[in-house]
Amino acid sequence: MKISTKTEYGVRVLLELALHQREGPVALRDIARRQELPLAYLERLIAPLVSAGIVRTKRGVRGGIYLVKEPGELKLSEVVQILEGSTAPLECVDDPNACSRSNFCAARDLWREVKRAVDRVLTATTLQNLAERQKQKDELKAAMYYI
């Protein structure tokens, strides 16, 4: 299973918003700079997040994007579903009619287990959990810099 660039970048955008939530709306160009991501790509990426009600945009001098939900309420499974769709590695996992062998295929059983494991991790992880992990990494990086 491979996560698309859209989902990878989307999670990184949301992580930035969680890390800077108390500062108000964050300019997309600032996110692009800090995360070293192409601004034009991020501008297109925001639409599904706005449509899903995860982020909102604010125009003007102090404008930008901001989270609608608290980071602790936003599960990564929701984000992946919006940006990626199913986590199933093969079509037959979600749609047994995709293959005539589905009901009697041991390999399909394996891929269903893989999907369930991925879904468990994504459902158990909130954006707040991810932000806390990032803060720990940032502290470690800062400590390494001063050594």
Side-chain angles (χ1 to χ4, degrees), residues 61-124:
V61 177
R62 299 201 193 290
I65 61 173
Y66 60 96
L67 290 170
V68 174
K69 292 183 173 184
E70 287 295 317
E73 297 173 3
L74 183 56
K75 295 175 191 257
L76 290 189
S77 57
E78 183 180 351
V79 175
V80 171
Q81 181 63 42
I82 291 163
L83 296 174
E84 193 76 33
S86 175
T87 57
L90 295 172
E91 187 179 354
C92 66
V93 171
D94 288 334
D95 179 12
N97 296 324
C99 176
S100 62
R101 299 174 39 85
S102 289
N103 292 330
F104 306 103
C105 180
R108 178 176 180 254
D109 294 343
L110 171 70
W111 300 127
R112 287 173 60 190
E113 289 176 36
V114 168
K115 180 186 186 313
R116 281 194 295 269
V118 169
D119 289 347
R120 258 193 314 274
V121 170
L122 293 174
T123 299

Side-chain angles (χ1 to χ4, degrees), residues 12-43:
R12 288 168 62 185
V13 166
L14 294 173
L15 177 58
E16 278 291 319
L17 293 178
L19 290 170
H20 298 279
Q21 183 180 19
R22 304 293 177 230
E23 300 167 20
V26 180
L28 207 52
R29 70 179 174 282
D30 292 339
I31 295 171
R33 180 183 42 79
R34 284 193 292 257
Q35 287 290 322
E36 300 175 0
L37 300 172
L39 178 59
Y41 193 96
L42 296 187
E43 289 170 343

Side-chain angles (χ1 to χ4, degrees), residues 2-16:
K2 185 173 181 179
I3 297 293
S4 71
T5 300
K6 181 165 71 169
T7 300
E8 176 193 357
Y9 289 5
V11 169
R12 288 168 62 185
V13 166
L14 294 173
L15 177 58
E16 278 291 319

